[in-house]
């Protein structure tokens, strides 16, 4: 029952492309049909006129029983990389599943 949806809003020159993931399983649960583990909800928005990129987090459904789930929130270009939680351009963190951003959290990458 997971889904990925996308849409483009606005007028040419100032459009916003939105990709939304709903009820997405952790990769470790993806191949386990009976898994009732944590499901994630989030969006990514790409702003045409400003080149801003936003990661917007929604509610997490369920809990994870595995403490070794790891993930990273970052953005990478041809010449740089930036950690989405700390803003660091020198190191990228590896975060536990329990560290998934709270609902309503927005990380904005501004060129």
């Amino acid at each position: 029952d997971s889904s990925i949806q996308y849409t483009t809003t606005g007028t040419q020159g100032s459009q916003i492309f939105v990709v939304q993931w709903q009820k997405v399983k952790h990769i470790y649960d993806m191949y386990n049909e009976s898994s009732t583990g944590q499901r994630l909800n989030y969006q990514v928005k790409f702003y045409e006129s400003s080149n801003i990129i936003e990661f917007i987090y929604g509610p997490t459904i369920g809990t994870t029983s595995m403490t070794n789930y790891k993930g990273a929130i970052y953005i990478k270009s041809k010449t740089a990389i930036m950690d989405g939680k700390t803003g660091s351009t020198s190191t990228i963190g590896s975060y536990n599943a329990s560290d998934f951003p709270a609902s309503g959290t927005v990380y904005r990458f501004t060129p």
Side-chain angles (χ1 to χ4, degrees):
D1 60 348
S2 299
S3 68
I4 300 173
Q5 303 164 354
Y6 63 91
T7 189
T8 302
T9 62
T11 58
Q12 190 171 6
S14 61
Q15 293 179 325
I16 302 169
F17 179 67
V18 181
V19 182
Q20 178 169 295
W21 290 261
Q22 291 182 307
K23 299 181 184 176
V24 176
K25 288 183 178 184
H26 277 286
I27 188 73
Y28 297 108
D29 289 332
M30 198 153 308
Y31 301 104
N32 181 355
E33 295 283 331
S34 63
S35 171
T36 59
Q38 193 174 40
R39 300 218 175 198
L40 311 172
N41 296 288
Y42 51 95
Q43 291 182 338
V44 178
K45 290 185 177 183
F46 301 89
Y47 292 81
E48 180 181 20
S49 61
S50 63
N51 292 322
I52 289 173
I53 300 171
E54 289 180 331
F55 288 79
I56 303 165
Y57 294 88
T60 300
I61 301 166
T63 59
T64 180
S65 60
M66 297 190 63
T67 58
N68 63 344
Y69 283 162
K70 297 286 186 184
I73 301 165
Y74 68 91
I75 192 164
K76 181 179 179 185
S77 72
K78 289 181 180 181
T79 59
I81 190 166
M82 181 174 26
D83 188 294
K85 287 187 79 173
T86 65
S88 173
T89 55
S90 59
T91 60
I92 299 301
S94 180
Y95 303 103
N96 292 325
S98 59
D99 292 334
F100 192 78
S103 183
T105 299
V106 177
Y107 292 112
R108 177 178 279 180
F109 296 89
T110 305

